[in-house]
Coordinates of all heavy atoms in Angstrom, one line a residue:
E3 N 0.8 -1.1 0.0 CA 0.0 0.0 0.0 C 0.9 1.3 0.1 O 2.0 1.2 0.4 CB -0.9 0.0 1.2 CG -2.0 -1.0 1.1 CD -3.0 -1.0 2.3 OE1 -3.0 0.0 3.0 OE2 -3.8 -1.9 2.4
F4 N 0.4 2.3 -0.5 CA 1.0 3.6 -0.6 C 0.1 4.7 -0.6 O -1.1 4.5 -0.8 CB 2.0 3.7 -1.8 CG 1.3 3.6 -3.1 CD1 0.7 4.7 -3.8 CD2 1.0 2.4 -3.7 CE1 0.1 4.6 -4.9 CE2 0.4 2.3 -4.9 CZ -0.1 3.4 -5.6
V5 N 0.6 5.9 -0.3 CA -0.2 7.1 -0.1 C 0.2 8.1 -1.2 O 1.4 8.4 -1.3 CB -0.2 7.6 1.3 CG1 -1.0 8.9 1.4 CG2 -0.7 6.6 2.3
I6 N -0.7 8.9 -1.7 CA -0.3 10.0 -2.6 C -1.1 11.2 -1.9 O -2.3 11.1 -1.7 CB -0.8 9.8 -4.1 CG1 -0.2 8.6 -4.7 CG2 -0.6 11.1 -4.8 CD1 -0.7 8.2 -6.0
V7 N -0.3 12.2 -1.7 CA -0.9 13.4 -1.1 C -0.9 14.5 -2.2 O 0.2 14.8 -2.7 CB 0.0 13.9 0.2 CG1 -0.6 15.2 0.7 CG2 -0.1 12.8 1.2
L8 N -2.1 15.0 -2.5 CA -2.2 16.1 -3.4 C -2.5 17.3 -2.6 O -3.6 17.5 -2.0 CB -3.3 15.9 -4.3 CG -3.2 14.7 -5.3 CD1 -4.5 14.5 -6.1 CD2 -2.0 14.8 -6.2
P9 N -1.6 18.4 -2.6 CA -1.9 19.6 -1.9 C -3.0 20.4 -2.7 O -3.0 20.5 -3.8 CB -0.6 20.3 -1.8 CG 0.2 19.7 -2.8 CD -0.3 18.3 -3.1
E10 N -3.9 21.0 -1.8 CA -4.9 22.0 -2.3 C -5.7 21.4 -3.5 O -5.9 22.0 -4.4 CB -4.1 23.2 -2.8 CG -3.4 23.9 -1.7 CD -2.7 25.2 -2.1 OE1 -3.1 25.8 -3.0 OE2 -1.6 25.5 -1.5
V11 N -6.3 20.3 -3.3 CA -7.3 19.7 -4.2 C -8.6 20.3 -3.8 O -9.1 20.0 -2.8 CB -7.3 18.2 -4.1 CG1 -8.5 17.6 -5.0 CG2 -5.9 17.6 -4.7
G12 N -9.2 21.1 -4.6 CA -10.5 21.6 -4.4 C -11.7 20.9 -4.9 O -12.7 21.1 -4.4
D13 N -11.4 20.0 -5.8 CA -12.5 19.3 -6.5 C -12.1 17.8 -6.4 O -11.0 17.3 -6.9 CB -12.6 19.7 -7.9 CG -13.7 19.0 -8.6 OD1 -14.3 18.2 -8.1 OD2 -13.9 19.5 -9.9
P14 N -13.1 17.0 -5.8 CA -12.7 15.5 -5.8 C -12.6 14.9 -7.1 O -11.9 13.9 -7.3 CB -14.1 15.0 -5.2 CG -14.6 16.1 -4.3 CD -14.3 17.3 -5.2
C15 N -13.0 15.5 -8.2 CA -12.8 15.0 -9.5 C -11.3 15.0 -9.8 O -10.8 14.1 -10.7 CB -13.6 15.9 -10.6 SG -15.3 15.6 -10.4
Q16 N -10.5 16.0 -9.3 CA -9.0 16.0 -9.6 C -8.4 14.7 -9.0 O -7.6 14.0 -9.6 CB -8.4 17.3 -8.9 CG -8.8 18.5 -9.6 CD -8.2 19.6 -8.8 OE1 -8.6 20.0 -7.7 NE2 -7.2 20.3 -9.4
A17 N -8.8 14.4 -7.8 CA -8.3 13.2 -7.1 C -8.8 12.0 -7.9 O -7.9 11.0 -8.0 CB -8.8 13.1 -5.6
A18 N -10.1 12.0 -8.3 CA -10.5 10.8 -9.1 C -9.7 10.6 -10.4 O -9.4 9.5 -10.7 CB -12.0 10.9 -9.3
T19 N -9.4 11.7 -11.0 CA -8.6 11.6 -12.3 C -7.3 11.0 -12.0 O -6.8 10.1 -12.7 CB -8.5 13.0 -13.0 OG1 -9.8 13.4 -13.2 CG2 -7.7 13.0 -14.2
L20 N -6.6 11.4 -11.0 CA -5.2 10.9 -10.6 C -5.4 9.5 -10.3 O -4.6 8.6 -10.7 CB -4.7 11.7 -9.6 CG -3.3 11.1 -9.0 CD1 -2.3 11.1 -10.1 CD2 -2.9 11.7 -7.7
A21 N -6.4 9.1 -9.5 CA -6.6 7.7 -9.2 C -6.7 6.8 -10.4 O -6.2 5.7 -10.5 CB -7.8 7.6 -8.2
Q22 N -7.7 7.3 -11.3 CA -7.7 6.5 -12.6 C -6.6 6.4 -13.3 O -6.3 5.3 -13.9 CB -8.9 7.1 -13.5 CG -9.3 6.3 -14.5 CD -9.9 4.9 -14.1 OE1 -10.6 4.8 -13.0 NE2 -9.6 3.9 -14.8
N23 N -5.7 7.5 -13.3 CA -4.4 7.4 -14.1 C -3.5 6.4 -13.4 O -2.7 5.6 -14.1 CB -3.8 8.8 -14.2 CG -4.5 9.7 -15.1 OD1 -5.2 9.2 -16.0 ND2 -4.4 11.0 -14.9
V24 N -3.5 6.4 -12.1 CA -2.6 5.4 -11.4 C -3.1 3.9 -11.6 O -2.2 3.1 -12.0 CB -2.6 5.7 -9.8 CG1 -2.1 4.6 -9.1 CG2 -2.0 7.0 -9.5
I25 N -4.4 3.7 -11.7 CA -5.0 2.6 -11.9 C -4.6 2.0 -13.3 O -4.1 0.8 -13.5 CB -6.5 2.5 -11.8 CG1 -6.8 2.7 -10.3 CG2 -7.2 1.2 -12.3 CD1 -8.2 3.0 -10.0
L26 N -4.7 2.9 -14.2 CA -4.2 2.5 -15.6 C -2.8 2.3 -15.8 O -2.4 1.3 -16.4 CB -4.7 3.6 -16.7 CG -6.3 3.7 -16.8 CD1 -6.5 4.9 -17.7 CD2 -6.8 2.5 -17.4
A27 N -2.0 3.0 -15.1 CA -0.5 2.9 -15.2 C -0.1 1.6 -14.5 O 0.8 0.9 -15.1 CB 0.2 4.1 -14.5
V28 N -0.6 1.3 -13.4 CA -0.2 0.0 -12.8 C -0.7 -1.2 -13.5 O 0.0 -2.3 -13.5 CB -0.8 0.1 -11.3 CG1 -0.7 -1.3 -10.6 CG2 -0.1 1.1 -10.5
S29 N -1.8 -1.1 -14.2 CA -2.3 -2.3 -14.9 C -1.6 -2.5 -16.3 O -1.9 -3.6 -16.8 CB -3.9 -2.0 -15.2 OG -4.1 -1.1 -16.1
E30 N -0.7 -1.7 -16.7 CA 0.1 -2.0 -17.8 C 0.8 -3.3 -17.8 O 1.6 -3.4 -16.8 CB 1.1 -0.8 -18.2 CG 0.3 0.4 -18.8 CD -0.2 0.2 -20.2 OE1 0.4 -0.5 -21.0 OE2 -1.3 0.7 -20.3
P31 N 0.7 -4.3 -18.6 CA 1.4 -5.6 -18.6 C 2.9 -5.3 -18.7 O 3.3 -4.3 -19.4 CB 0.8 -6.3 -19.6 CG 0.1 -5.5 -20.5 CD -0.2 -4.2 -19.8
F32 N 3.7 -6.2 -18.1 CA 5.2 -6.1 -18.3 C 5.7 -7.6 -18.2 O 5.0 -8.4 -17.8 CB 5.8 -5.2 -17.2 CG 5.4 -5.6 -15.8 CD1 6.3 -6.3 -15.0 CD2 4.3 -5.1 -15.2 CE1 6.0 -6.6 -13.7 CE2 4.0 -5.5 -13.8 CZ 4.9 -6.3 -13.1
L33 N 7.0 -7.6 -18.5 CA 7.6 -9.0 -18.6 C 8.6 -9.1 -17.5 O 9.4 -8.2 -17.2 CB 8.3 -9.2 -20.0 CG 7.5 -9.3 -21.3 CD1 8.3 -9.3 -22.5 CD2 6.6 -10.5 -21.2
I34 N 8.6 -10.4 -16.9 CA 9.6 -10.8 -16.0 C 10.0 -12.1 -16.4 O 9.3 -13.0 -16.4 CB 9.2 -10.8 -14.5 CG1 8.8 -9.3 -14.1 CG2 10.3 -11.4 -13.6 CD1 8.2 -9.3 -12.6
D35 N 11.4 -12.2 -16.8 CA 11.9 -13.5 -17.3 C 11.0 -14.1 -18.4 O 10.6 -15.4 -18.3 CB 12.2 -14.5 -16.1 CG 13.1 -14.1 -15.1 OD1 14.1 -13.4 -15.5 OD2 13.1 -14.5 -14.0
E36 N 10.6 -13.3 -19.3 CA 9.7 -13.7 -20.5 C 8.4 -14.2 -20.0 O 7.7 -14.8 -20.8 CB 10.5 -14.8 -21.2 CG 11.8 -14.3 -21.8 CD 12.5 -15.3 -22.6 OE1 11.8 -16.3 -23.2 OE2 13.7 -15.3 -22.7
H37 N 7.9 -13.9 -18.9 CA 6.5 -14.2 -18.4 C 5.8 -12.8 -18.4 O 6.2 -11.9 -17.7 CB 6.6 -14.8 -17.0 CG 7.3 -16.2 -17.0 ND1 6.6 -17.2 -17.5 CD2 8.4 -16.5 -16.6 CE1 7.5 -18.2 -17.4 NE2 8.7 -17.8 -16.8
G38 N 4.5 -12.9 -19.0 CA 3.8 -11.6 -18.9 C 3.1 -11.5 -17.6 O 2.5 -12.4 -17.1
I39 N 3.2 -10.4 -17.0 CA 2.7 -10.0 -15.7 C 1.7 -8.9 -15.9 O 2.1 -7.9 -16.4 CB 3.8 -9.7 -14.6 CG1 4.9 -10.8 -14.6 CG2 3.3 -9.4 -13.3 CD1 4.4 -12.1 -14.0
S40 N 0.5 -9.0 -15.2 CA -0.2 -7.8 -15.0 C -0.9 -7.9 -13.6 O -1.2 -8.9 -13.1 CB -1.3 -7.8 -16.2 OG -2.2 -8.9 -16.1
I41 N -0.9 -6.6 -13.1 CA -1.6 -6.5 -11.9 C -2.6 -5.4 -11.9 O -2.8 -4.6 -12.9 CB -0.5 -6.1 -10.8 CG1 0.2 -5.0 -11.1 CG2 0.4 -7.2 -10.5 CD1 1.2 -4.4 -10.1
S42 N -3.4 -5.4 -10.9 CA -4.5 -4.3 -10.7 C -4.4 -3.6 -9.4 O -3.7 -4.2 -8.5 CB -5.9 -4.9 -11.0 OG -6.2 -5.7 -9.9
T43 N -4.9 -2.5 -9.3 CA -4.9 -1.8 -8.1 C -6.3 -1.2 -7.8 O -7.1 -0.9 -8.7 CB -3.8 -0.8 -8.0 OG1 -3.7 -0.2 -6.7 CG2 -4.1 0.4 -9.0
S44 N -6.6 -0.9 -6.6 CA -7.8 -0.2 -6.2 C -7.3 1.0 -5.3 O -6.3 1.0 -4.7 CB -8.7 -1.1 -5.4 OG -9.1 -2.2 -6.1
V45 N -8.0 2.1 -5.4 CA -7.7 3.3 -4.7 C -8.9 3.8 -3.8 O -10.0 3.8 -4.2 CB -7.3 4.3 -5.7 CG1 -7.0 5.7 -5.1 CG2 -6.2 3.9 -6.6
G46 N -8.5 4.2 -2.6 CA -9.4 4.8 -1.7 C -9.0 6.3 -1.6 O -7.9 6.7 -1.5
I47 N -10.0 7.2 -1.7 CA -9.8 8.6 -1.7 C -10.5 9.3 -0.5 O -11.7 9.1 -0.3 CB -10.4 9.2 -3.0 CG1 -9.7 8.6 -4.2 CG2 -10.1 10.8 -3.0 CD1 -10.3 9.0 -5.5
T48 N -9.8 10.2 0.2 CA -10.4 11.1 1.1 C -9.8 12.5 0.8 O -8.9 12.7 0.2 CB -10.0 10.8 2.6 OG1 -8.5 10.8 2.7 CG2 -10.5 9.5 3.1
I49 N -10.7 13.5 1.2 CA -10.4 14.9 0.9 C -10.4 15.6 2.2 O -11.4 15.6 3.0 CB -11.4 15.5 -0.1 CG1 -11.6 14.7 -1.3 CG2 -11.1 16.9 -0.3 CD1 -10.5 14.8 -2.3
A50 N -9.3 16.3 2.5 CA -9.3 17.2 3.7 C -9.6 18.6 3.4 O -9.3 19.0 2.2 CB -7.8 17.2 4.3
P51 N -10.3 19.3 4.1 CA -10.8 18.9 5.5 C -12.2 18.4 5.5 O -12.7 18.1 6.5 CB -10.8 20.4 6.2 CG -11.1 21.3 5.2 CD -10.4 20.7 3.8
S52 N -12.8 18.2 4.3 CA -14.2 17.6 4.3 C -14.3 16.3 5.1 O -15.3 16.1 5.8 CB -14.5 17.4 2.8 OG -14.5 18.5 2.2
H53 N -13.3 15.4 5.0 CA -13.4 14.1 5.7 C -12.5 14.1 6.9 O -12.5 13.1 7.6 CB -12.8 13.0 4.7 CG -13.6 12.9 3.4 ND1 -13.1 12.8 2.2 CD2 -15.0 12.9 3.3 CE1 -14.1 12.7 1.3 NE2 -15.3 12.8 1.9
G54 N -12.0 15.2 7.4 CA -11.2 15.3 8.5 C -9.9 16.1 8.4 O -9.6 16.5 7.3
S55 N -9.2 16.4 9.5 CA -8.0 17.2 9.3 C -6.8 16.4 9.9 O -5.7 16.8 9.7 CB -8.1 18.5 10.1 OG -8.6 18.3 11.3
K56 N -7.1 15.3 10.7 CA -6.0 14.5 11.2 C -5.5 13.5 10.3 O -6.3 12.8 9.7 CB -6.3 13.9 12.6 CG -6.8 14.9 13.6 CD -7.1 14.3 14.9 CE -7.5 15.3 16.0 NZ -8.1 14.8 17.2
V57 N -4.2 13.2 10.3 CA -3.7 12.3 9.3 C -4.2 10.8 9.6 O -4.6 10.2 8.6 CB -2.0 12.2 9.4 CG1 -1.6 11.1 8.6 CG2 -1.5 13.6 8.9
E58 N -4.3 10.5 10.8 CA -4.8 9.1 11.1 C -6.1 8.9 10.7 O -6.6 7.9 10.2 CB -4.7 8.9 12.7 CG -3.2 8.9 13.2 CD -2.8 10.3 13.5 OE1 -3.5 11.3 13.5 OE2 -1.6 10.4 13.8
E59 N -7.0 10.0 10.9 CA -8.4 10.0 10.5 C -8.5 9.9 9.0 O -9.2 9.0 8.5 CB -9.1 11.3 11.0 CG -10.5 11.4 10.8 CD -11.1 12.7 11.4 OE1 -10.3 13.8 11.3 OE2 -12.1 12.7 11.9
L60 N -7.8 10.7 8.3 CA -7.8 10.6 6.8 C -7.4 9.2 6.2 O -7.9 8.7 5.3 CB -7.0 11.7 6.1 CG -7.6 13.1 6.4 CD1 -6.5 14.1 6.1 CD2 -8.8 13.3 5.6
L61 N -6.3 8.6 6.9 CA -5.9 7.3 6.5 C -6.9 6.2 6.7 O -7.1 5.4 5.9 CB -4.4 6.9 7.1 CG -3.3 7.8 6.7 CD1 -2.1 7.5 7.5 CD2 -3.1 7.6 5.2
T62 N -7.5 6.4 7.8 CA -8.5 5.4 8.2 C -9.7 5.5 7.2 O -10.3 4.4 6.6 CB -9.1 5.6 9.6 OG1 -8.1 5.4 10.6 CG2 -10.4 4.7 10.0
Y63 N -10.2 6.7 6.9 CA -11.2 6.8 5.9 C -10.8 6.4 4.5 O -11.6 5.9 3.8 CB -11.8 8.3 5.9 CG -12.4 8.6 7.2 CD1 -12.5 10.0 7.6 CD2 -13.0 7.7 8.0 CE1 -13.1 10.2 8.8 CE2 -13.6 8.1 9.3 CZ -13.6 9.3 9.6 OH -14.2 9.7 10.8
A64 N -9.6 6.7 4.1 CA -9.1 6.3 2.8 C -9.0 4.8 2.7 O -9.4 4.1 1.6 CB -7.6 6.8 2.5
D65 N -8.7 4.1 3.9 CA -8.6 2.7 3.9 C -10.1 2.1 3.7 O -10.3 1.1 3.0 CB -8.0 2.3 5.2 CG -7.3 0.9 5.1 OD1 -6.8 0.5 4.0 OD2 -7.3 0.2 6.1
L66 N -11.1 2.8 4.4 CA -12.5 2.3 4.3 C -12.9 2.4 2.8 O -13.6 1.6 2.2 CB -13.4 3.1 5.2 CG -13.2 2.8 6.7 CD1 -14.0 3.7 7.5 CD2 -13.7 1.4 7.0
A67 N -12.5 3.5 2.2 CA -12.9 3.7 0.8 C -12.2 2.7 -0.2 O -12.9 2.2 -1.0 CB -12.5 5.2 0.4
L68 N -11.0 2.4 0.3 CA -10.3 1.3 -0.5 C -10.9 0.0 -0.5 O -11.1 -0.7 -1.4 CB -8.8 1.1 0.0 CG -8.0 0.0 -0.5 CD1 -7.8 0.1 -2.0 CD2 -6.7 0.0 0.3
Y69 N -11.4 -0.4 0.8 CA -12.2 -1.6 0.9 C -13.5 -1.6 0.1 O -13.9 -2.7 -0.5 CB -12.4 -1.9 2.4 CG -11.2 -2.3 3.2 CD1 -10.8 -1.7 4.4 CD2 -10.4 -3.3 2.8 CE1 -9.8 -2.0 5.1 CE2 -9.2 -3.6 3.5 CZ -8.9 -3.0 4.7 OH -7.8 -3.4 5.3
Q70 N -14.1 -0.5 0.0 CA -15.2 -0.4 -0.7 C -14.9 -0.6 -2.2 O -15.7 -1.3 -2.9 CB -16.0 0.9 -0.5 CG -17.3 1.0 -1.2 CD -18.3 0.0 -0.7 OE1 -18.5 -0.1 0.5 NE2 -19.0 -0.7 -1.6
A71 N -13.9 0.1 -2.7 CA -13.6 -0.2 -4.1 C -13.2 -1.6 -4.4 O -13.6 -2.2 -5.4 CB -12.2 0.7 -4.4
K72 N -12.6 -2.3 -3.5 CA -12.3 -3.8 -3.7 C -13.6 -4.5 -3.7 O -13.8 -5.4 -4.5 CB -11.3 -4.2 -2.5 CG -10.0 -3.8 -2.7 CD -9.0 -4.3 -1.5 CE -7.6 -3.8 -1.7 NZ -6.8 -4.3 -0.5
F73 N -14.5 -4.1 -2.8 CA -15.8 -4.9 -2.7 C -16.6 -4.6 -4.0 O -17.3 -5.6 -4.4 CB -16.5 -4.3 -1.4 CG -17.9 -4.9 -1.3 CD1 -18.0 -6.3 -0.7 CD2 -19.1 -4.3 -1.7 CE1 -19.3 -6.8 -0.6 CE2 -20.3 -4.9 -1.6 CZ -20.4 -6.1 -1.0
D74 N -16.5 -3.4 -4.5 CA -17.3 -3.2 -5.8 C -16.6 -3.8 -7.0 O -17.2 -3.6 -8.0 CB -17.2 -1.7 -6.0 CG -18.2 -0.9 -5.0 OD1 -19.0 -1.7 -4.3 OD2 -18.0 0.3 -4.8
G75 N -15.6 -4.6 -6.9 CA -15.0 -5.2 -8.0 C -13.6 -5.1 -8.3 O -13.1 -5.5 -9.4
R76 N -12.9 -4.3 -7.5 CA -11.5 -4.0 -7.6 C -11.1 -3.3 -9.0 O -12.1 -3.0 -9.7 CB -10.6 -5.4 -7.7 CG -10.8 -6.1 -6.3 CD -9.9 -7.3 -6.2 NE -10.1 -8.0 -5.0 CZ -9.3 -8.0 -3.9 NH1 -8.1 -7.3 -4.1 NH2 -9.6 -8.7 -2.9
H77 N -9.9 -2.9 -9.1 CA -9.5 -2.2 -10.3 C -10.3 -0.9 -10.6 O -10.7 -0.6 -11.6 CB -9.5 -3.0 -11.6 CG -8.7 -2.5 -12.7 ND1 -7.3 -2.4 -12.7 CD2 -9.2 -2.0 -13.9 CE1 -7.0 -2.0 -13.9 NE2 -8.1 -1.7 -14.6
R78 N -10.5 -0.2 -9.4 CA -11.3 1.1 -9.4 C -11.0 1.9 -8.3 O -10.3 1.5 -7.3 CB -12.9 0.7 -9.5 CG -13.3 0.0 -8.2 CD -14.8 -0.5 -8.1 NE -14.9 -1.5 -9.2 CZ -15.8 -1.5 -10.2 NH1 -16.7 -0.5 -10.3 NH2 -15.8 -2.4 -11.1
H79 N -11.6 3.1 -8.2 CA -11.3 4.0 -7.1 C -12.7 4.3 -6.4 O -13.7 4.1 -7.0 CB -10.7 5.3 -7.5 CG -11.6 6.1 -8.5 ND1 -11.6 5.9 -9.8 CD2 -12.4 7.2 -8.2 CE1 -12.4 6.8 -10.3 NE2 -12.8 7.5 -9.4
C80 N -12.6 4.8 -5.1 CA -13.8 4.9 -4.5 C -13.5 6.2 -3.5 O -12.5 6.2 -2.8 CB -14.3 3.8 -3.6 SG -15.7 4.1 -2.6
L81 N -14.4 7.2 -3.5 CA -14.3 8.4 -2.6 C -15.1 8.1 -1.4 O -16.2 7.5 -1.3 CB -15.0 9.6 -3.3 CG -15.0 10.9 -2.5 CD1 -13.6 11.4 -2.3 CD2 -15.9 11.8 -3.3
F82 N -14.4 8.3 -0.2 CA -15.0 8.1 1.1 C -16.3 9.0 1.2 O -16.3 10.0 0.9 CB -14.1 8.3 2.2 CG -14.6 8.3 3.6 CD1 -14.8 7.1 4.2 CD2 -15.1 9.5 4.3 CE1 -15.4 7.0 5.4 CE2 -15.7 9.4 5.5 CZ -15.8 8.1 6.1
T83 N -17.4 8.3 1.7 CA -18.6 9.0 1.9 C -19.1 8.6 3.4 O -18.8 7.6 3.8 CB -19.7 8.7 1.0 OG1 -19.8 7.2 0.9 CG2 -19.3 9.3 -0.4

């Protein structure tokens, strides 16, 4: 797992666009010892201060959104609500 922090995101659509770009980039197939490998990723999104202002709180909510994205079928993003 990893975290991407975007300073001064005013519109959740900006975060969603970045999330979709990350998902597409990670899913590009690649070769290891002549074996085709492809992976997928899911992304959970929180927006400060709408979802909180403490780091621990934002990470918890991002994790919950991530679990929802996985539950919804993986290879997607989900905004915490």
Side-chain angles (χ1 to χ4, degrees):
E3 291 187 10
F4 59 91
V5 173
I6 298 174
V7 177
L8 296 175
E10 301 182 26
V11 172
D13 182 358
C15 290
Q16 290 175 291
T19 298
L20 176 65
Q22 192 58 40
N23 289 338
V24 168
I25 291 167
L26 291 173
V28 169
S29 69
E30 286 291 319
F32 57 95
L33 291 175
I34 295 179
D35 294 331
E36 299 181 25
H37 298 283
I39 306 292
S40 63
I41 58 176
S42 68
T43 189
S44 301
V45 178
I47 301 170
T48 55
I49 306 290
S52 301
H53 300 136
S55 58
K56 296 180 181 176
V57 172
E58 298 82 12
E59 186 177 36
L60 292 167
L61 289 174
T62 296
Y63 294 155
D65 210 29
L66 290 172
L68 172 62
Y69 288 128
Q70 185 64 49
K72 289 178 178 181
F73 178 79
D74 289 343
R76 299 181 182 261
H77 196 68
R78 64 187 66 234
H79 66 276
C80 182
L81 177 66
F82 175 78
T83 55

